[in-house]
């Protein structure tokens, strides 16, 4: 209203109209005093009609109560900051407005100080706005409380708030272990990685690829693998696999979109920090370091976007990069224990890998080898290549400030990629009708599944309504379908879907499912479904072998039987058949002079020559060879 009247030549509203305004804040409705103190802050000149809108917007911000929502305060504050930036742009178009531009920049800095301290010291922060519109500050009842908010409290308040919010998210388990591992890798920048051992060094682009893969998993290898690299909507039949297949080309587009978001966030952080330091003659060394880190981060994100665009254009190159990168993570994570011995050992392995078990990890290793064979990612020894962008030559721009992944982080990321990939392969091979009616109910009855526990399981999980004829595993089926459709990255969107458990969560305020809490259940189900699928594949192989063996001709089978019962030729030359005539055959004597006559040991004399001369020359009358006892003979 004041702005409209100012264009008609009036400076302010009439006193009667001023009374009609709702008295929400007495200090805000008071007129500007001519001799008001500035207290080191800039007082807006409201006689200039170009400043009337800005002054009224600040007065409206002053009317907000302390109990107002943070989102509301940020929205109104954003409008004020936009107004200041617009005024600066308008003044910059003409010459001679340098002093006015400096004043507006100082006003913006004062307002940002209010914005960063309004939740912690509300009265001291609002006093800044009161002085800006020409009102006196309100003194606190406690003498020790400062009259105005200080810049020192600004930085500490934002840091404490951010740390508290992160701690709250960790308590709620809003992140999966793979998300936390990738975040740690991005924050583990050091200038030189020469002294780091047993760590995988990756670029920001490779971290982004792992983020996409840990959310969705890898495409499952098939005979028509080329269609999984380049998606063609005209040739692909999505109804046959119920839409569970994913394609490298689509994942490349997702990665490019994520890179654009990363760059926008990096630019916003740098811009905010520069605005806070704008107008300061001497920037502290701590803030200079922070600005340098933010600039380096922005440069890294710009390079990430450039590489993401290249991968999006070349799907085959992107597919090969994904396979080699996941193989590098697998090699760096350590060995996988597959030795099942004893009930105690079995229980330990079932609970390992966050409940997924080691067999699913072994399955992904084989699938990586199949992909590498067709993509040309095998070395001369026939093993999958595991080269990354960070090489000993250090020819990559991020070689000296790369992200660092420990063995534990590599294992965590590989476990999540393996779970999503294996679950997707099971849903691709089996339709949802068989899964809901046969496989998942069988999993729920298995003794190995009963050993595992889900602490965050709602009391109504898998319970069917009285008028509902759905299966007893409806919630589990919806959860698995949802995590394949949305991925872990889109879990918040999944909760707004019309799945059965999502509708019950709205009415049940006592339970709040997060991506980390449901991952435990998903891992257990994937492990048991993998075991069932492996057993079925083994039985098919046995049946195929039986059918192949039964189709052989009887002549070939007789020949095999005749060969199996034969005796090695040549052995019978050392033995002679015993006959009734003693002279014609070997003589039976006792092995020792003191042995009884009915001894079980038979001694056979083998004549080397029939002449009597040889018999006389021998010191012993015969040569002895011990044979098996008579009973065996």
């Amino acid at each position: 209203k004041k702005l409209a009247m100012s264009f008609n030549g009036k400076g302010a509203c009439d006193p009667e109209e001023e009374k009609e305004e709702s008295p929400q804040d007495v200090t805000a409705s008071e007129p500007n005093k001519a001799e008001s103190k500035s207290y080191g802050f800039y007082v807006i000149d409201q006689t200039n009609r170009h400043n009337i809108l800005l002054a009224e917007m600040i007065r409206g911000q002053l009317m907000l109560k302390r109990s107002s929502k943070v989102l509301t305060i940020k929205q109104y504050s954003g409008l004020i900051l936009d107004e200041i930036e617009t005024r600066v742009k308008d003044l910059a178009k003409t010459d001679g407005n340098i002093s006015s531009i400096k004043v507006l920049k100082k006003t913006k800095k004062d307002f940002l100080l209010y914005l960063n301290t309004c939740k912690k010291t509300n009265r001291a922060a609002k006093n800044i706005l009161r002085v800006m519109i020409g009102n006196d500050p309100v003194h606190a009842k406690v003498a020790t409380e400062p009259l105005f908010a200080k810049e020192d409290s600004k930085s500490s308040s934002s840091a404490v708030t951010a740390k508290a919010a992160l701690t709250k998210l960790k308590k709620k388990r809003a992140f999966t272990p793979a998300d936390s591992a990738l975040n740690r890798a991005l924050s583990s920048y050091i200038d030189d990685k020469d002294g780091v051992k047993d760590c995988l060094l990756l670029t920001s682009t490779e971290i982004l690829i792992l983020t996409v893969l840990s959310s969705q998993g890898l495409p499952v290898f098939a005979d028509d693998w080329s269609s999984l690299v380049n998606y063609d909507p005209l040739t692909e039949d999505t109804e046959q696999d119920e839409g569970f297949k994913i394609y490298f080309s689509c994942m490349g587009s997702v990665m490019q979109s994520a890179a654009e978001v990363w760059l926008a966030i990096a630019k916003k952080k740098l811009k905010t920090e520069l605005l806070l330091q704008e107008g300061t003659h001497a920037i502290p060394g701590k803030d200079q370091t922070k600005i340098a880190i933010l600039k380096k981060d922005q440069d890294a994100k710009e390079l990430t976007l450039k590489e993401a665009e290249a991968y999006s254009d070349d799907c085959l190159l992107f597919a090969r990069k994904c396979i080699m990168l996941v193989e590098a993570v697998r090699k760096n994570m350590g060995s996988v224990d597959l030795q099942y011995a004893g009930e105690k050992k079995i229980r330990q392995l079932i609970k390992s890998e966050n409940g997924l078990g080691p067999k699913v990890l072994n399955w992904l290793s084989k699938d990586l080898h199949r992909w590498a064979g067709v993509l040309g990612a095998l070395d001369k020894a026939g093993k999958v290549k595991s080269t990354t962008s960070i090489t000993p030559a250090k020819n990559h721009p991020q070689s000296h400030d790369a992200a660092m992944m420990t063995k534990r982080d590599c294992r965590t990321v590989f476990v999540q990629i393996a779970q999503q990939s294996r679950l997707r392969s099971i849903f691709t091979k089996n339709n949802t009708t068989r899964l809901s009616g046969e496989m998942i109910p069988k999993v729920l009855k298995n003794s190995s599944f009963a050993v595992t526990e889900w602490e965050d399981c709602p009391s109504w999980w898998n319970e069917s309504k009285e008028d509902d004829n759905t299966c007893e595993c409806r919630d589990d089926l919806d959860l698995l379908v949802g995590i394949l459709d949305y991925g872990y990255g889109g879990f918040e969107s999944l909760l707004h879907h019309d799945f059965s458990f999502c509708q019950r969560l709205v009415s049940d305020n006592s339970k709040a499912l997060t991506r980390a809490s449901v991952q435990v259940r998903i891992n257990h189900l994937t492990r048991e479904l993998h075991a069932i699928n492996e057993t079925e594949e083994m039985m098919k192989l046995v049946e195929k072998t039986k059918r192949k063996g039964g189709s052989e001709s009887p002549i070939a089978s007789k020949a095999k039987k005749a060969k199996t019962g034969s005796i090695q030729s040549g052995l019978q030359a050392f033995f002679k058949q015993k006959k009734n005539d003693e002279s014609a055959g070997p003589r039976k004597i006792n092995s020792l002079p003191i042995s009884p006559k009915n001894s079980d040991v038979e001694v056979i004399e083998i004549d080397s020559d029939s002449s009597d001369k040889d018999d006389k020359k021998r010191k012993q009358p015969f040569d002895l060879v011990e044979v098996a006892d008579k009973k065996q003979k």
Side-chain angles (χ1 to χ4, degrees), residues 84 87-108 278:
I84 296 175
R87 290 280 299 115
V88 171
K89 290 179 180 179
D90 291 341
L91 291 173
K93 292 178 181 179
T94 56
D95 299 333
N97 297 324
I98 298 177
S99 60
S100 300
I101 292 175
K102 288 183 178 180
V103 168
L104 285 173
K105 288 183 177 180
K106 181 64 171 61
T107 304
K108 186 173 185 177
E278 195 171 4

Side-chain angles (χ1 to χ4, degrees), residues 491-615:
F491 184 76
E492 285 73 17
S493 301
L494 186 153
L495 293 178
H496 294 89
H497 198 271
D498 57 350
F499 291 125
S500 58
F501 71 92
C502 297
Q503 296 174 359
R504 295 186 183 185
L505 282 174
V506 175
S507 57
D508 185 10
N509 296 324
S510 61
K511 285 290 181 181
L513 296 180
T514 62
R515 64 184 74 182
S517 62
V518 300
Q519 189 182 34
V520 178
R521 183 73 168 184
I522 295 170
N523 285 351
H524 293 326
L525 292 170
T526 305
R527 183 193 68 237
E528 297 301 322
L529 288 172
H530 167 76
I532 293 174
N533 189 82
E534 288 291 295
T535 304
E536 291 177 353
E537 294 293 331
M538 182 65 68
M539 294 305 296
K540 289 179 181 178
L541 184 61
V542 171
E543 289 294 330
K544 184 179 180 181
T545 306
K546 284 183 178 180
R547 289 194 302 268
K548 187 177 181 181
S551 63
E552 291 182 356
S553 62
I555 299 174
S557 61
K558 286 181 180 180
K560 286 185 178 179
K561 290 181 180 178
K563 288 181 179 179
T564 55
S566 62
I567 300 175
Q568 182 179 354
S569 60
L571 287 177
Q572 56 187 356
F574 296 94
F575 302 95
K576 293 183 180 179
Q577 207 170 14
K578 185 177 179 181
K579 296 181 180 178
N580 295 329
D581 189 5
E582 293 288 341
S583 61
R587 291 184 295 124
K588 177 180 176 182
I589 63 172
N590 293 331
S591 61
L592 292 173
I594 59 174
S595 62
K597 293 181 179 180
N598 54 354
S599 174
D600 292 335
V601 180
E602 182 181 3
V603 180
I604 300 174
E605 180 184 359
I606 301 176
D607 296 329
S608 60
D609 195 356
S610 60
S611 63
D612 296 335
K613 294 180 180 180
D614 294 335
D615 291 340

Side-chain angles (χ1 to χ4, degrees), residues 51-248:
N51 296 332
I52 292 176
L53 178 59
L54 178 61
E56 292 302 317
M57 293 174 76
I58 293 178
R59 187 172 283 109
Q61 186 82 13
L62 187 60
M63 292 180 182
L64 291 177
K65 297 181 180 179
R66 187 171 188 175
S67 59
S68 301
K69 295 182 179 180
V70 179
L71 182 61
T72 304
I73 296 176
K74 287 185 177 181
Q75 287 177 345
Y76 292 167
S77 302
L79 295 174
I80 294 175
L81 293 173
D82 291 341
E83 171 64 18
I84 296 175
E85 290 182 358
T86 305
R87 290 280 299 115
V88 171
K89 290 179 180 179
D90 291 341
L91 291 173
K93 292 178 181 179
T94 56
D95 299 333
N97 297 324
I98 298 177
S99 60
S100 300
I101 292 175
K102 288 183 178 180
V103 168
L104 285 173
K105 288 183 177 180
K106 181 64 171 61
T107 304
K108 186 173 185 177
K109 185 178 180 181
D110 295 343
F111 185 77
L112 287 173
L113 177 60
Y114 152 79
L115 185 61
N116 292 323
T117 57
C118 61
K119 279 297 179 183
K120 186 176 180 180
T121 55
N122 186 263
R123 186 191 300 272
K126 280 192 172 183
N127 281 338
I128 298 174
L129 301 184
R130 293 186 178 101
V131 172
M132 290 174 67
I133 59 175
N135 296 336
D136 293 332
V138 177
H139 293 270
K141 296 180 181 179
V142 182
T144 57
E145 184 178 344
L147 186 61
F148 297 100
K150 298 180 180 179
E151 292 186 5
D152 295 337
S153 64
K154 168 201 68 175
S155 57
S156 62
S157 175
S158 59
V160 170
T161 304
K163 188 175 181 180
L166 184 60
T167 305
K168 190 175 181 181
L169 287 173
K170 287 182 178 179
K171 288 182 178 179
K172 287 184 176 181
R173 296 197 299 170
F175 304 116
T176 61
D179 295 336
S180 302
L182 293 171
N183 289 333
R184 282 195 300 270
L186 282 174
S187 60
S188 60
Y189 284 122
I190 56 176
D191 292 335
D192 196 359
K193 295 289 192 302
D194 289 336
V196 179
K197 296 180 179 179
D198 299 331
C199 290
L200 183 63
L201 306 182
L202 302 173
T203 63
S204 56
T205 305
E206 292 170 334
I207 291 292
L208 182 59
I209 294 175
L210 290 177
T211 303
V212 176
L213 293 178
S214 62
S215 177
Q216 296 287 343
L218 276 168
V220 184
F221 181 80
D223 294 334
D224 57 340
W225 59 270
S226 58
S227 63
L228 298 174
V229 176
N230 294 299
Y231 173 67
D232 188 1
L234 299 177
T235 58
E236 289 297 323
D237 186 10
T238 56
E239 295 181 358
Q240 186 177 358
D241 59 5
E242 301 184 47
F244 292 116
K245 282 185 179 180
I246 55 175
Y247 306 88
F248 281 109

Side-chain angles (χ1 to χ4, degrees), residues 232-300:
D232 188 1
L234 299 177
T235 58
E236 289 297 323
D237 186 10
T238 56
E239 295 181 358
Q240 186 177 358
D241 59 5
E242 301 184 47
F244 292 116
K245 282 185 179 180
I246 55 175
Y247 306 88
F248 281 109
S249 56
C250 299
M251 295 174 69
S253 301
V254 171
M255 191 188 72
Q256 182 179 349
S257 301
E260 293 173 355
V261 174
W262 270 21
L263 180 59
I265 294 173
K267 287 182 176 180
K268 186 176 181 180
K269 287 182 179 180
L270 179 60
K271 184 178 179 181
T272 303
E273 187 64 26
L274 292 175
L275 286 173
L276 290 174
Q277 303 299 332
E278 195 171 4
T280 305
H281 297 289
I283 301 177
K286 190 175 181 181
D287 293 334
Q288 289 181 359
T289 304
K290 187 176 181 181
I291 292 173
I293 293 174
L294 291 175
K295 285 183 178 179
K296 183 182 290 186
D297 182 61
Q298 180 177 332
D299 295 339

